Amino acid sequence: MPLARKEPRLDLLGLSLFGGPALPGIHPGCRKRGADGQLVDQGKALDPGKVMEAIGAYGQGLIDLEELHRAECHGLPGSGSCSAMFTACTMASVVEALGMALPGTASKPAATRDDPRTVTEQKRQDCVAVVAALFSLAEKGLSARKIITSKALENAVAVVYALGGSTNAVLHTLAIAHEAGIPETEFNIEDFHRVGQRVPLIGNVSPHGRYHMSDLDKIGGVPVVMRELLDAGLLHGDCMTVTGRTVAENLAGTPSVAALGHQDVLYPVSKPLAPAGNHILVLKGNLAPESAVCKLSGKTDIELTGPARCFDDEDAAFGAIMAGKIQKGDVLVIRYEGPKGSPGMPEMLSPGSALVGAGLGKYVALVTDGRFSGASHGIMVGHVTPEAAVGGPIGLLVDGDMVTVRPGSRELSVALSEEELAARRKEWKPPAPKPGSFGTLGKYASQVRSAHVGATTS
Ligand SMILES: CC(C)(O)[C@@H](O)C(=O)O
């Protein structure tokens, strides 16, 4: 992104072209021969998220090694990013909604099923179109900062909620705003929450739904999502884009969801897959004095109070899940995995998927100062700040403390008095730095800011 933050900041021309999602895998057990003798996919698509969940299911003896191996061998059939609405496809959609990619390019698959290692002809054409657009940007003097505005970021947030995108978009949009020199007073985590609560979930895409990015592409891609949001008054149509035209001008010829006729990938805003306010929520409370990010992916009426089961790293938590030591009703707490503590804020995909694979996804909340994968789903609360490594309350928890996750009131709390928390804080000592926390990672840990403001280092 041509925003390189220097004083005076660079403000270059540029645009982004996504390499493209891979196609979803097809579970071999789901292919039946049609009347014409052709193998016909019966619809059980596979993607890396399903593979991770299969590991959890295998750990609980719900599937055998052969089935796990089948999932692994067919989960990512060819070139491209993850095929579902995980972080790559989320951010590709974000960049297109931001106006920094040519319309319709985010969803174009990288390769075909018949030739999984060769870039498609469409992608080659998109590369040529990008070069032409770059020269046009130069003629118009349309630099990145004239496109990346707080209103453009709000458009990107709306698309994340419409598609049920990755919680990593919270970090990345905050960081893009920071690098674009947009003041935190103009765009911050509360704005992310505010904009998102107006937008219903209309994308029926994995990990929460059935379809994949290539299926969204077949019905028109991100432009159709944006057209549906624009018609519903949920998008700023006057934002400039790398085409040299505004969002509304770009969408002039794009069909609405209703105009698509029968399909099950995108739902109309008027009749969404899930009502607004049930995807990503920013929580607060005595366990997250700054903020925390909750991913519901359309689940409604979620609330859970349960005993904390505390682990100081991801691997120990994963081991406990696979050993069947986490029970329904527990709140699994994984800390010291934040930007400074880990260092690097890893994604808690393994433990989260293991919970879902073990059938605990609806019954156990995962609360962490780390982040999640775009493939994560269940009752997920991440980005808890202040993180444990700087003395945040999540680091003061002990097994058995009663933790409440109440998205409806944006609450993440523990049933401890301020006095008890203060007494524990007095006794708390920062743990020794984790192995590897030296050199570049050590420098990163010393400079990185809170996930509450995007975990940036400048
Ligand atoms: C799927 C992965 C590896 O977890 C990541 O790429 C993401 O989408 O968050």
Side-chain angles (χ1 to χ4, degrees):
M1 188 74 80
L3 290 171
R5 187 182 173 82
K6 274 178 61 174
E7 298 308 337
R9 289 186 189 120
L10 292 178
D11 181 14
L12 302 178
L13 304 168
L15 67 163
S16 173
L17 174 63
F18 181 40
L23 296 175
I26 298 175
H27 189 293
C30 287
R31 287 177 136 182
K32 303 274 185 293
R33 284 210 181 280
D36 60 359
Q38 289 299 313
L39 272 175
V40 179
D41 159 28
Q42 302 301 305
K44 185 183 172 190
L46 289 171
D47 57 51
K50 301 284 185 293
V51 177
M52 297 301 286
E53 289 167 16
I55 293 171
Y58 172 70
Q60 301 304 307
L62 301 175
I63 62 172
D64 62 19
L65 195 58
E66 196 183 328
E67 175 57 20
L68 173 58
H69 184 58
R70 257 194 298 269
E72 287 171 342
C73 293
H74 295 273
L76 196 60
S79 304
S81 80
C82 295
S83 50
M85 195 45 66
F86 301 160
T87 304
C89 290
T90 298
M91 290 314 295
S93 306
V94 159
V95 171
E96 185 169 327
L98 205 48
M100 287 298 288
L102 294 176
T105 55
S107 58
K108 292 282 176 287
T112 64
R113 208 170 286 282
D114 300 334
D115 190 357
R117 296 180 184 280
T118 308
V119 168
T120 63
E121 182 49 35
Q122 175 64 58
K123 199 60 75 177
R124 291 172 195 277
Q125 290 168 17
D126 288 349
C127 291
V128 173
V130 159
V131 173
L134 203 49
F135 280 101
S136 170
L137 288 172
E139 285 160 17
K140 296 181 175 75
L142 253 183
S143 63
R145 280 186 174 69
K146 295 185 178 70
I147 293 172
I148 301 178
T149 63
S150 54
K151 283 171 71 173
L153 282 159
E154 291 189 2
N155 284 350
V157 171
V159 167
V160 170
Y161 277 81
L163 288 172
S166 168
T167 47
N168 290 311
V170 180
L171 291 166
H172 295 325
T173 50
L174 291 171
I176 289 170
H178 177 72
E179 293 303 330
I182 295 170
E184 286 172 17
T185 49
E186 265 189 50
F187 184 82
N188 56 52
I189 200 165
E190 276 301 315
D191 293 306
F192 194 103
H193 177 91
R194 169 181 56 80
V195 171
Q197 299 326 299
R198 299 193 307 245
V199 181
L201 179 65
I202 64 171
N204 184 14
V205 284
S206 174
H208 57 275
R210 173 176 175 183
Y211 297 98
H212 290 77
M213 194 69 161
S214 53
D215 300 307
L216 178 65
D217 188 59
K218 284 174 194 157
I219 62 165
V222 172
V224 178
V225 180
M226 293 178 72
R227 174 65 195 270
E228 187 68 16
L229 295 175
L230 183 66
D231 291 351
L234 297 171
L235 217 55
H236 302 295
D238 57 347
C239 291
M240 183 47 66
T241 75
V242 290
T243 66
R245 294 185 302 275
T246 65
V247 165
E249 288 165 342
N250 286 344
L251 295 175
T254 302
S256 65
V257 170
L260 291 178
H262 177 69
Q263 52 80 31
D264 190 35
V265 180
L266 275 186
Y267 284 57
V269 166
S270 57
K271 205 171 170 211
L273 196 62
N278 292 291
H279 178 43
I280 294 174
L281 297 104
V282 174
L283 309 185
K284 280 184 180 294
N286 67 351
L287 203 44
E290 280 184 334
S291 62
V293 171
C294 175
K295 181 178 188 180
L296 292 177
S297 306
K299 284 182 288 302
T300 55
D301 306 326
I302 290 280
E303 179 175 331
L304 190 149
T305 294
R309 298 291 316 282
C310 302
F311 298 88
D312 289 354
D313 69 76
E314 175 191 2
D315 295 341
F318 180 74
I321 298 165
M322 297 298 274
K325 293 178 181 169
I326 304 299
Q327 307 304 320
K328 283 187 180 180
D330 285 349
V331 174
L332 179 63
V333 177
I334 306 176
R335 65 265 178 106
Y336 299 104
E337 294 286 16
K340 289 181 181 291
S342 187
M345 199 176 187
E347 61 179 30
M348 300 294 115
L349 176 58
S350 297
S353 299
L355 286 175
V356 172
L360 295 171
K362 291 183 185 148
Y363 308 104
V364 173
L366 196 167
V367 175
T368 178
D369 55 8
R371 61 184 177 86
F372 293 118
S373 154
S376 300
H377 63 109
I379 308 173
M380 302 274 134
V381 181
H383 310 200
V384 175
T385 56
E387 64 174 291
V390 299
I394 191 172
L396 307 177
L397 292 179
V398 298
D399 281 1
D401 285 344
M402 293 307 282
V403 172
T404 294
V405 177
R406 191 175 284 132
S409 51
R410 297 182 62 185
E411 179 188 348
L412 176 66
S413 62
V414 58
L416 293 172
S417 66
E418 263 316 302
E419 294 71 22
E420 174 58 23
L421 283 170
R424 291 190 190 183
R425 193 170 290 113
K426 212 168 163 187
E427 296 304 312
W428 179 81
K429 302 264 183 304
K434 285 188 177 177
S437 305
F438 53 82
T440 305
L441 275 180
K443 288 187 195 118
Y444 167 88
S446 65
Q447 292 171 11
V448 69
R449 302 195 304 158
S450 167
H452 179 69
V453 291
T456 51
T457 55
S458 60

